[in-house]
Amino acid sequence: VTDRDDFDRFLHDWLTEDATRRPPSGLMDDVSTAIRSRRPRSAWSAMLRGDGMDAPIRLGSWNPRPILLLGLLAALLVALAGGALIVGGLTRQPLTVIPSPSALTTSLSEFAQLPPSRPISAVGSVPIGESDGTARRFASDGTSLWVSANAGILRIDPATATVIGRVTPPATGSAFDFAVTPGSVWVVDADQASVTRYDAKSGRSIAVIRVPTVATWITSAAGAIWVGTLSEGTISRIDPATDKVVATVRVTDPHSSRPLAVAGEDSQVWIGLPPGGQVVRVDPASNTVAATVPVPALVGATGSTYLLISSGTLYALVNNSQGWSTVTAVDIASSSTLWTTRLDGLVSSPIVRPDALWIELLGAGSSPATASIVAMDPASGRVIDALGDASGPASDLTDALGSIWATRFGPQGRLDQFPSAALTVSAR
Amino acid sequence: VDRELVIRAQAGDADAFTSLVASAVDGLYSTSRLILRRDDEAEDAVQDALLRAWLGIRGLRDPDRFEAWLRRLTVHSCYRTASRGRSRRVVEVAPIDVGEPSVPDRAENLAARDQLERGFRRLPVDQRAVLVVHHFLDLSDADASDMLGIPIGTMKSRLHRATAALRAALDADDREPVLVGGRTL
């Protein structure tokens, strides 16, 4: 086979004779099985992979596919960078959007006038042994009073005014939120997407419930536990019978950086949405948003926000970083604003009594250290009474178990107990 | 090629795709086996090519080119399979199967086939592929270059080098072995 033609012929014959072997019988079966578990890729994916094309993309002898891929990668990086700039720009926008007085339904050109304050005196006190004296928030299960403090969540016997038990979450010391139901204490785990249920009597953990994201607030309403987050704009419903999340309801756009406020009643849960200036009602029967009520004052919320529902009226307390606040009453049935009152100071701890809406007002007037408990007329929003609390500001105030309770800042943490009749409007 | 079957396969019809490739699998296997010189690797290459064809069939712009496209995928699968074979740590020595000639042959012809087999196996896989495409499939230069995924000029020069390398391999095999210190060089 020295001659070239002979060599070519010889090679051709050799290859042809060697090519008579048939493929194994199982080859097609294997292929058939493999393709039935996969779907063809999209045309774009096939093109980018190159071997999916019936002819390569060519410019003369130059194959531009790597360049095409690099171009697409560069375009993707530019798009991501642009997106990051846009998002960064949006998040850098000031969150403080103070509404002009004309944006509200009631003229807010002036602060509400406060009547002269009457003194109020505690009739009892409960030392809680906190070195830095920070008792934060109250809740009641109908028989005991619970208060969150650095050492945990303390159970107070109202009859003896003593600490009779405690629940100690791992994140003690941080601003965890909690809710109580008969026999149980529910605590948001500060750093994890979970809620821990504790036995109220023994203080032991009895269940850890996974929730979709790290929760920032928790409340008990309509026979369920509700938890929500700032970042996701969702609330999740926990069934106390099974300790499982049974529904998650989206109430606002995700990544909302504003605080949410929540109020629960037997048959409804209300969520305040400061970015949109509205409050939504979640129907526990269907786990859906059933109503939306506009509350323009919420647009300006840059501080803590409180919601309270009573007798068909929604009260929204909105604090602003400039040290003033608004209180708005909304008629739920008609979704109309009844009144909005501007107060010189920061508000918290609303309590509804038959004759008035009572509010803790901190920093009223020229002195930020002054504290008052003011009464507002539910019909007009006028401030009709004020109590001067000689013990200073309370971090929370609650009306529970026949008394008014106040948590105290200061070096020696304690709860002060006032008679229930103390929150009665005095005729002037 | 049945255009209808190709279009159905592009829409995700696995039965249509199976019908399409069933008639082509013998030729694909023969091509792979000639290039790779191993039955198991040829089977792997054909399976790989057919799976890639299924996954990428929506990138096939001209249904009439299905067969040529499938052959090109098979050649590229052979390259990948050969590359994997080279990367194996343990060198497998496969028995040389010279095949059964279709007609009775003379002894010197068998010896020549054995030489050809040895020489062919010494070639790089891309040179084996160009020889198979040119001498076995008898494709035109344009179709052959398309199947190999290279320009016509590159295909021709590669064919020239492959032929020269094969002839050189045969010449080297023709030389008498020299015994030095008990080892054959």
Side-chain angles (χ1 to χ4, degrees), chain B residues 113-143:
Chain B
R113 288 173 192 282
D114 181 58
Q115 280 187 4
L116 200 57
E117 178 68 42
R118 291 174 188 277
F120 198 82
R121 285 179 178 244
R122 289 182 182 135
L123 298 179
V125 68
D126 58 340
Q127 292 188 359
R128 281 184 257 159
V130 75
L131 287 172
V132 170
V133 168
H134 181 78
H135 290 288
F136 172 62
L137 297 177
D138 286 332
L139 296 178
S140 67
D141 288 349
D143 288 343

PDB file of all heavy atoms in Angstrom, chain B residues 113-143:
ATOM      1  N   ARG B 113      -3.854  -5.262   7.786  1.00  0.00           N
ATOM      2  CA  ARG B 113      -4.947  -4.723   8.611  1.00  0.00           C
ATOM      3  C   ARG B 113      -4.475  -4.530  10.058  1.00  0.00           C
ATOM      4  O   ARG B 113      -4.829  -3.551  10.711  1.00  0.00           O
ATOM      5  CB  ARG B 113      -6.135  -5.690   8.594  1.00  0.00           C
ATOM      6  CG  ARG B 113      -6.877  -5.715   7.298  1.00  0.00           C
ATOM      7  CD  ARG B 113      -7.923  -6.814   7.309  1.00  0.00           C
ATOM      8  NE  ARG B 113      -8.443  -7.027   5.975  1.00  0.00           N
ATOM      9  CZ  ARG B 113      -9.341  -6.232   5.406  1.00  0.00           C
ATOM     10  NH1 ARG B 113      -9.788  -5.194   6.044  1.00  0.00           N
ATOM     11  NH2 ARG B 113      -9.741  -6.480   4.183  1.00  0.00           N
ATOM     12  N   ASP B 114      -3.702  -5.501  10.517  1.00  0.00           N
ATOM     13  CA  ASP B 114      -3.194  -5.389  11.879  1.00  0.00           C
ATOM     14  C   ASP B 114      -2.294  -4.165  12.013  1.00  0.00           C
ATOM     15  O   ASP B 114      -2.377  -3.409  12.977  1.00  0.00           O
ATOM     16  CB  ASP B 114      -2.428  -6.664  12.228  1.00  0.00           C
ATOM     17  CG  ASP B 114      -1.904  -6.614  13.644  1.00  0.00           C
ATOM     18  OD1 ASP B 114      -2.740  -6.459  14.560  1.00  0.00           O
ATOM     19  OD2 ASP B 114      -0.683  -6.684  13.844  1.00  0.00           O
ATOM     20  N   GLN B 115      -1.448  -3.955  10.992  1.00  0.00           N
ATOM     21  CA  GLN B 115      -0.594  -2.766  10.994  1.00  0.00           C
ATOM     22  C   GLN B 115      -1.435  -1.493  10.973  1.00  0.00           C
ATOM     23  O   GLN B 115      -1.151  -0.525  11.682  1.00  0.00           O
ATOM     24  CB  GLN B 115       0.303  -2.785   9.752  1.00  0.00           C
ATOM     25  CG  GLN B 115       1.515  -3.672   9.886  1.00  0.00           C
ATOM     26  CD  GLN B 115       2.442  -3.502   8.703  1.00  0.00           C
ATOM     27  OE1 GLN B 115       2.208  -2.677   7.825  1.00  0.00           O
ATOM     28  NE2 GLN B 115       3.493  -4.297   8.659  1.00  0.00           N
ATOM     29  N   LEU B 116      -2.478  -1.514  10.142  1.00  0.00           N
ATOM     30  CA  LEU B 116      -3.334  -0.334  10.034  1.00  0.00           C
ATOM     31  C   LEU B 116      -4.002  -0.023  11.376  1.00  0.00           C
ATOM     32  O   LEU B 116      -4.091   1.136  11.800  1.00  0.00           O
ATOM     33  CB  LEU B 116      -4.393  -0.585   8.959  1.00  0.00           C
ATOM     34  CG  LEU B 116      -5.067   0.642   8.357  1.00  0.00           C
ATOM     35  CD1 LEU B 116      -4.046   1.599   7.755  1.00  0.00           C
ATOM     36  CD2 LEU B 116      -6.081   0.213   7.300  1.00  0.00           C
ATOM     37  N   GLU B 117      -4.459  -1.070  12.031  1.00  0.00           N
ATOM     38  CA  GLU B 117      -5.108  -0.889  13.331  1.00  0.00           C
ATOM     39  C   GLU B 117      -4.147  -0.260  14.336  1.00  0.00           C
ATOM     40  O   GLU B 117      -4.487   0.690  15.045  1.00  0.00           O
ATOM     41  CB  GLU B 117      -5.602  -2.244  13.845  1.00  0.00           C
ATOM     42  CG  GLU B 117      -6.253  -2.204  15.213  1.00  0.00           C
ATOM     43  CD  GLU B 117      -7.567  -1.460  15.197  1.00  0.00           C
ATOM     44  OE1 GLU B 117      -8.347  -1.656  14.240  1.00  0.00           O
ATOM     45  OE2 GLU B 117      -7.817  -0.666  16.119  1.00  0.00           O
ATOM     46  N   ARG B 118      -2.944  -0.807  14.369  1.00  0.00           N
ATOM     47  CA  ARG B 118      -1.963  -0.270  15.311  1.00  0.00           C
ATOM     48  C   ARG B 118      -1.639   1.186  14.985  1.00  0.00           C
ATOM     49  O   ARG B 118      -1.567   2.044  15.880  1.00  0.00           O
ATOM     50  CB  ARG B 118      -0.673  -1.096  15.249  1.00  0.00           C
ATOM     51  CG  ARG B 118      -0.800  -2.497  15.788  1.00  0.00           C
ATOM     52  CD  ARG B 118       0.486  -3.277  15.548  1.00  0.00           C
ATOM     53  NE  ARG B 118       0.324  -4.686  15.885  1.00  0.00           N
ATOM     54  CZ  ARG B 118       0.428  -5.160  17.116  1.00  0.00           C
ATOM     55  NH1 ARG B 118       0.684  -4.345  18.106  1.00  0.00           N
ATOM     56  NH2 ARG B 118       0.254  -6.445  17.356  1.00  0.00           N
ATOM     57  N   GLY B 119      -1.451   1.452  13.708  1.00  0.00           N
ATOM     58  CA  GLY B 119      -1.134   2.826  13.304  1.00  0.00           C
ATOM     59  C   GLY B 119      -2.284   3.773  13.597  1.00  0.00           C
ATOM     60  O   GLY B 119      -2.088   4.896  14.082  1.00  0.00           O
ATOM     61  N   PHE B 120      -3.488   3.313  13.329  1.00  0.00           N
ATOM     62  CA  PHE B 120      -4.669   4.168  13.536  1.00  0.00           C
ATOM     63  C   PHE B 120      -4.816   4.550  15.003  1.00  0.00           C
ATOM     64  O   PHE B 120      -5.149   5.679  15.348  1.00  0.00           O
ATOM     65  CB  PHE B 120      -5.901   3.420  13.032  1.00  0.00           C
ATOM     66  CG  PHE B 120      -7.083   4.310  12.774  1.00  0.00           C
ATOM     67  CD1 PHE B 120      -7.207   5.020  11.584  1.00  0.00           C
ATOM     68  CD2 PHE B 120      -8.081   4.450  13.723  1.00  0.00           C
ATOM     69  CE1 PHE B 120      -8.299   5.827  11.340  1.00  0.00           C
ATOM     70  CE2 PHE B 120      -9.171   5.260  13.496  1.00  0.00           C
ATOM     71  CZ  PHE B 120      -9.278   5.944  12.293  1.00  0.00           C
ATOM     72  N   ARG B 121      -4.563   3.586  15.861  1.00  0.00           N
ATOM     73  CA  ARG B 121      -4.715   3.848  17.291  1.00  0.00           C
ATOM     74  C   ARG B 121      -3.694   4.841  17.812  1.00  0.00           C
ATOM     75  O   ARG B 121      -3.899   5.446  18.866  1.00  0.00           O
ATOM     76  CB  ARG B 121      -4.597   2.554  18.084  1.00  0.00           C
ATOM     77  CG  ARG B 121      -5.825   1.672  17.994  1.00  0.00           C
ATOM     78  CD  ARG B 121      -5.639   0.400  18.771  1.00  0.00           C
ATOM     79  NE  ARG B 121      -6.835  -0.433  18.716  1.00  0.00           N
ATOM     80  CZ  ARG B 121      -7.572  -0.741  19.779  1.00  0.00           C
ATOM     81  NH1 ARG B 121      -7.243  -0.277  20.956  1.00  0.00           N
ATOM     82  NH2 ARG B 121      -8.630  -1.504  19.651  1.00  0.00           N
ATOM     83  N   ARG B 122      -2.583   4.979  17.102  1.00  0.00           N
ATOM     84  CA  ARG B 122      -1.564   5.917  17.569  1.00  0.00           C
ATOM     85  C   ARG B 122      -1.939   7.361  17.238  1.00  0.00           C
ATOM     86  O   ARG B 122      -1.339   8.292  17.766  1.00  0.00           O
ATOM     87  CB  ARG B 122      -0.211   5.599  16.913  1.00  0.00           C
ATOM     88  CG  ARG B 122       0.415   4.335  17.434  1.00  0.00           C
ATOM     89  CD  ARG B 122       1.766   4.111  16.763  1.00  0.00           C
ATOM     90  NE  ARG B 122       2.366   2.871  17.203  1.00  0.00           N
ATOM     91  CZ  ARG B 122       2.932   1.997  16.397  1.00  0.00           C
ATOM     92  NH1 ARG B 122       2.943   2.221  15.087  1.00  0.00           N
ATOM     93  NH2 ARG B 122       3.474   0.892  16.866  1.00  0.00           N
ATOM     94  N   LEU B 123      -2.909   7.553  16.353  1.00  0.00           N
ATOM     95  CA  LEU B 123      -3.273   8.911  15.940  1.00  0.00           C
ATOM     96  C   LEU B 123      -4.100   9.611  17.016  1.00  0.00           C
ATOM     97  O   LEU B 123      -4.867   8.968  17.733  1.00  0.00           O
ATOM     98  CB  LEU B 123      -4.097   8.874  14.643  1.00  0.00           C
ATOM     99  CG  LEU B 123      -3.421   8.285  13.407  1.00  0.00           C
ATOM    100  CD1 LEU B 123      -4.394   8.319  12.226  1.00  0.00           C
ATOM    101  CD2 LEU B 123      -2.159   9.064  13.067  1.00  0.00           C
ATOM    102  N   PRO B 124      -3.968  10.946  17.082  1.00  0.00           N
ATOM    103  CA  PRO B 124      -4.866  11.694  17.958  1.00  0.00           C
ATOM    104  C   PRO B 124      -6.318  11.539  17.469  1.00  0.00           C
ATOM    105  O   PRO B 124      -6.552  11.278  16.284  1.00  0.00           O
ATOM    106  CB  PRO B 124      -4.405  13.147  17.818  1.00  0.00           C
ATOM    107  CG  PRO B 124      -3.136  13.111  17.072  1.00  0.00           C
ATOM    108  CD  PRO B 124      -3.029  11.802  16.376  1.00  0.00           C
ATOM    109  N   VAL B 125      -7.260  11.734  18.363  1.00  0.00           N
ATOM    110  CA  VAL B 125      -8.653  11.469  18.046  1.00  0.00           C
ATOM    111  C   VAL B 125      -9.173  12.379  16.934  1.00  0.00           C
ATOM    112  O   VAL B 125     -10.009  11.974  16.115  1.00  0.00           O
ATOM    113  CB  VAL B 125      -9.531  11.564  19.303  1.00  0.00           C
ATOM    114  CG1 VAL B 125      -9.599  13.007  19.820  1.00  0.00           C
ATOM    115  CG2 VAL B 125     -10.922  11.034  19.049  1.00  0.00           C
ATOM    116  N   ASP B 126      -8.691  13.640  16.874  1.00  0.00           N
ATOM    117  CA  ASP B 126      -9.202  14.518  15.819  1.00  0.00           C
ATOM    118  C   ASP B 126      -8.715  14.065  14.445  1.00  0.00           C
ATOM    119  O   ASP B 126      -9.421  14.214  13.442  1.00  0.00           O
ATOM    120  CB  ASP B 126      -8.826  15.976  16.090  1.00  0.00           C
ATOM    121  CG  ASP B 126      -7.325  16.180  16.214  1.00  0.00           C
ATOM    122  OD1 ASP B 126      -6.605  15.189  16.473  1.00  0.00           O
ATOM    123  OD2 ASP B 126      -6.872  17.330  16.053  1.00  0.00           O
ATOM    124  N   GLN B 127      -7.515  13.469  14.385  1.00  0.00           N
ATOM    125  CA  GLN B 127      -7.026  12.947  13.101  1.00  0.00           C
ATOM    126  C   GLN B 127      -7.770  11.658  12.730  1.00  0.00           C
ATOM    127  O   GLN B 127      -8.068  11.413  11.557  1.00  0.00           O
ATOM    128  CB  GLN B 127      -5.519  12.694  13.177  1.00  0.00           C
ATOM    129  CG  GLN B 127      -4.727  14.000  13.299  1.00  0.00           C
ATOM    130  CD  GLN B 127      -3.228  13.789  13.171  1.00  0.00           C
ATOM    131  OE1 GLN B 127      -2.742  12.669  13.016  1.00  0.00           O
ATOM    132  NE2 GLN B 127      -2.478  14.887  13.251  1.00  0.00           N
ATOM    133  N   ARG B 128      -8.069  10.841  13.736  1.00  0.00           N
ATOM    134  CA  ARG B 128      -8.874   9.640  13.452  1.00  0.00           C
ATOM    135  C   ARG B 128     -10.245  10.053  12.918  1.00  0.00           C
ATOM    136  O   ARG B 128     -10.778   9.456  11.987  1.00  0.00           O
ATOM    137  CB  ARG B 128      -9.054   8.805  14.725  1.00  0.00           C
ATOM    138  CG  ARG B 128      -7.851   7.956  15.073  1.00  0.00           C
ATOM    139  CD  ARG B 128      -8.168   7.101  16.281  1.00  0.00           C
ATOM    140  NE  ARG B 128      -7.546   7.625  17.490  1.00  0.00           N
ATOM    141  CZ  ARG B 128      -7.940   7.348  18.724  1.00  0.00           C
ATOM    142  NH1 ARG B 128      -8.994   6.580  18.905  1.00  0.00           N
ATOM    143  NH2 ARG B 128      -7.313   7.837  19.735  1.00  0.00           N
ATOM    144  N   ALA B 129     -10.797  11.112  13.523  1.00  0.00           N
ATOM    145  CA  ALA B 129     -12.134  11.544  13.110  1.00  0.00           C
ATOM    146  C   ALA B 129     -12.139  12.029  11.663  1.00  0.00           C
ATOM    147  O   ALA B 129     -13.048  11.688  10.893  1.00  0.00           O
ATOM    148  CB  ALA B 129     -12.634  12.642  14.044  1.00  0.00           C
ATOM    149  N   VAL B 130     -11.141  12.790  11.281  1.00  0.00           N
ATOM    150  CA  VAL B 130     -11.142  13.314   9.920  1.00  0.00           C
ATOM    151  C   VAL B 130     -10.946  12.183   8.902  1.00  0.00           C
ATOM    152  O   VAL B 130     -11.532  12.191   7.817  1.00  0.00           O
ATOM    153  CB  VAL B 130     -10.085  14.440   9.758  1.00  0.00           C
ATOM    154  CG1 VAL B 130      -8.673  13.874   9.691  1.00  0.00           C
ATOM    155  CG2 VAL B 130     -10.387  15.289   8.534  1.00  0.00           C
ATOM    156  N   LEU B 131     -10.169  11.169   9.255  1.00  0.00           N
ATOM    157  CA  LEU B 131     -10.002  10.019   8.363  1.00  0.00           C
ATOM    158  C   LEU B 131     -11.315   9.252   8.218  1.00  0.00           C
ATOM    159  O   LEU B 131     -11.695   8.833   7.114  1.00  0.00           O
ATOM    160  CB  LEU B 131      -8.902   9.090   8.902  1.00  0.00           C
ATOM    161  CG  LEU B 131      -7.460   9.610   8.762  1.00  0.00           C
ATOM    162  CD1 LEU B 131      -6.491   8.696   9.518  1.00  0.00           C
ATOM    163  CD2 LEU B 131      -7.067   9.702   7.291  1.00  0.00           C
ATOM    164  N   VAL B 132     -12.022   9.063   9.326  1.00  0.00           N
ATOM    165  CA  VAL B 132     -13.288   8.324   9.282  1.00  0.00           C
ATOM    166  C   VAL B 132     -14.329   9.096   8.480  1.00  0.00           C
ATOM    167  O   VAL B 132     -15.039   8.532   7.634  1.00  0.00           O
ATOM    168  CB  VAL B 132     -13.804   8.049  10.715  1.00  0.00           C
ATOM    169  CG1 VAL B 132     -15.226   7.506  10.688  1.00  0.00           C
ATOM    170  CG2 VAL B 132     -12.886   7.078  11.433  1.00  0.00           C
ATOM    171  N   VAL B 133     -14.399  10.394   8.729  1.00  0.00           N
ATOM    172  CA  VAL B 133     -15.392  11.199   8.018  1.00  0.00           C
ATOM    173  C   VAL B 133     -15.105  11.194   6.520  1.00  0.00           C
ATOM    174  O   VAL B 133     -16.012  11.075   5.692  1.00  0.00           O
ATOM    175  CB  VAL B 133     -15.389  12.644   8.579  1.00  0.00           C
ATOM    176  CG1 VAL B 133     -16.177  13.578   7.687  1.00  0.00           C
ATOM    177  CG2 VAL B 133     -15.954  12.652   9.985  1.00  0.00           C
ATOM    178  N   HIS B 134     -13.839  11.284   6.179  1.00  0.00           N
ATOM    179  CA  HIS B 134     -13.482  11.378   4.762  1.00  0.00           C
ATOM    180  C   HIS B 134     -13.562  10.009   4.069  1.00  0.00           C
ATOM    181  O   HIS B 134     -14.141   9.886   2.988  1.00  0.00           O
ATOM    182  CB  HIS B 134     -12.079  11.958   4.621  1.00  0.00           C
ATOM    183  CG  HIS B 134     -11.627  12.114   3.201  1.00  0.00           C
ATOM    184  ND1 HIS B 134     -12.061  13.165   2.396  1.00  0.00           N
ATOM    185  CD2 HIS B 134     -10.800  11.353   2.417  1.00  0.00           C
ATOM    186  CE1 HIS B 134     -11.524  13.044   1.211  1.00  0.00           C
ATOM    187  NE2 HIS B 134     -10.745  11.950   1.187  1.00  0.00           N
ATOM    188  N   HIS B 135     -13.005   8.975   4.686  1.00  0.00           N
ATOM    189  CA  HIS B 135     -12.885   7.694   3.999  1.00  0.00           C
ATOM    190  C   HIS B 135     -14.068   6.760   4.245  1.00  0.00           C
ATOM    191  O   HIS B 135     -14.349   5.901   3.423  1.00  0.00           O
ATOM    192  CB  HIS B 135     -11.593   6.998   4.438  1.00  0.00           C
ATOM    193  CG  HIS B 135     -10.351   7.659   3.920  1.00  0.00           C
ATOM    194  ND1 HIS B 135      -9.957   7.612   2.603  1.00  0.00           N
ATOM    195  CD2 HIS B 135      -9.430   8.447   4.547  1.00  0.00           C
ATOM    196  CE1 HIS B 135      -8.842   8.286   2.432  1.00  0.00           C
ATOM    197  NE2 HIS B 135      -8.503   8.820   3.613  1.00  0.00           N
ATOM    198  N   PHE B 136     -14.739   6.910   5.370  1.00  0.00           N
ATOM    199  CA  PHE B 136     -15.846   5.991   5.660  1.00  0.00           C
ATOM    200  C   PHE B 136     -17.194   6.594   5.271  1.00  0.00           C
ATOM    201  O   PHE B 136     -18.007   5.969   4.600  1.00  0.00           O
ATOM    202  CB  PHE B 136     -15.835   5.614   7.144  1.00  0.00           C
ATOM    203  CG  PHE B 136     -17.040   4.828   7.588  1.00  0.00           C
ATOM    204  CD1 PHE B 136     -17.310   3.570   7.046  1.00  0.00           C
ATOM    205  CD2 PHE B 136     -17.925   5.329   8.532  1.00  0.00           C
ATOM    206  CE1 PHE B 136     -18.431   2.842   7.454  1.00  0.00           C
ATOM    207  CE2 PHE B 136     -19.029   4.616   8.943  1.00  0.00           C
ATOM    208  CZ  PHE B 136     -19.283   3.371   8.390  1.00  0.00           C
ATOM    209  N   LEU B 137     -17.397   7.839   5.673  1.00  0.00           N
ATOM    210  CA  LEU B 137     -18.696   8.449   5.383  1.00  0.00           C
ATOM    211  C   LEU B 137     -18.764   9.035   3.984  1.00  0.00           C
ATOM    212  O   LEU B 137     -19.857   9.310   3.479  1.00  0.00           O
ATOM    213  CB  LEU B 137     -19.000   9.541   6.421  1.00  0.00           C
ATOM    214  CG  LEU B 137     -19.137   9.051   7.872  1.00  0.00           C
ATOM    215  CD1 LEU B 137     -19.365  10.232   8.806  1.00  0.00           C
ATOM    216  CD2 LEU B 137     -20.290   8.057   8.004  1.00  0.00           C
ATOM    217  N   ASP B 138     -17.607   9.232   3.371  1.00  0.00           N
ATOM    218  CA  ASP B 138     -17.550   9.756   2.007  1.00  0.00           C
ATOM    219  C   ASP B 138     -18.327  11.071   1.861  1.00  0.00           C
ATOM    220  O   ASP B 138     -19.062  11.271   0.885  1.00  0.00           O
ATOM    221  CB  ASP B 138     -18.111   8.729   1.006  1.00  0.00           C
ATOM    222  CG  ASP B 138     -17.139   7.578   0.780  1.00  0.00           C
ATOM    223  OD1 ASP B 138     -15.917   7.816   0.928  1.00  0.00           O
ATOM    224  OD2 ASP B 138     -17.604   6.469   0.496  1.00  0.00           O
ATOM    225  N   LEU B 139     -18.181  11.937   2.839  1.00  0.00           N
ATOM    226  CA  LEU B 139     -18.878  13.219   2.767  1.00  0.00           C
ATOM    227  C   LEU B 139     -18.092  14.190   1.899  1.00  0.00           C
ATOM    228  O   LEU B 139     -16.864  14.067   1.737  1.00  0.00           O
ATOM    229  CB  LEU B 139     -19.029  13.819   4.172  1.00  0.00           C
ATOM    230  CG  LEU B 139     -19.880  13.038   5.169  1.00  0.00           C
ATOM    231  CD1 LEU B 139     -19.883  13.754   6.517  1.00  0.00           C
ATOM    232  CD2 LEU B 139     -21.301  12.877   4.660  1.00  0.00           C
ATOM    233  N   SER B 140     -18.800  15.153   1.348  1.00  0.00           N
ATOM    234  CA  SER B 140     -18.115  16.212   0.612  1.00  0.00           C
ATOM    235  C   SER B 140     -17.268  17.016   1.602  1.00  0.00           C
ATOM    236  O   SER B 140     -17.482  16.951   2.821  1.00  0.00           O
ATOM    237  CB  SER B 140     -19.144  17.129  -0.050  1.00  0.00           C
ATOM    238  OG  SER B 140     -19.865  17.835   0.945  1.00  0.00           O
ATOM    239  N   ASP B 141     -16.329  17.792   1.058  1.00  0.00           N
ATOM    240  CA  ASP B 141     -15.474  18.585   1.947  1.00  0.00           C
ATOM    241  C   ASP B 141     -16.305  19.529   2.822  1.00  0.00           C
ATOM    242  O   ASP B 141     -16.017  19.704   4.004  1.00  0.00           O
ATOM    243  CB  ASP B 141     -14.478  19.395   1.110  1.00  0.00           C
ATOM    244  CG  ASP B 141     -13.400  18.502   0.512  1.00  0.00           C
ATOM    245  OD1 ASP B 141     -13.318  17.317   0.921  1.00  0.00           O
ATOM    246  OD2 ASP B 141     -12.671  18.973  -0.372  1.00  0.00           O
ATOM    247  N   ALA B 142     -17.323  20.115   2.202  1.00  0.00           N
ATOM    248  CA  ALA B 142     -18.153  21.071   2.956  1.00  0.00           C
ATOM    249  C   ALA B 142     -18.889  20.359   4.090  1.00  0.00           C
ATOM    250  O   ALA B 142     -18.922  20.832   5.236  1.00  0.00           O
ATOM    251  CB  ALA B 142     -19.139  21.753   2.021  1.00  0.00           C
ATOM    252  N   ASP B 143     -19.491  19.189   3.753  1.00  0.00           N
ATOM    253  CA  ASP B 143     -20.228  18.458   4.784  1.00  0.00           C
ATOM    254  C   ASP B 143     -19.287  17.912   5.855  1.00  0.00           C
ATOM    255  O   ASP B 143     -19.619  17.887   7.056  1.00  0.00           O
ATOM    256  CB  ASP B 143     -21.020  17.312   4.147  1.00  0.00           C
ATOM    257  CG  ASP B 143     -22.218  17.819   3.352  1.00  0.00           C
ATOM    258  OD1 ASP B 143     -22.598  18.985   3.558  1.00  0.00           O
ATOM    259  OD2 ASP B 143     -22.752  17.055   2.514  1.00  0.00           O
TER     260      ASP B 143
END
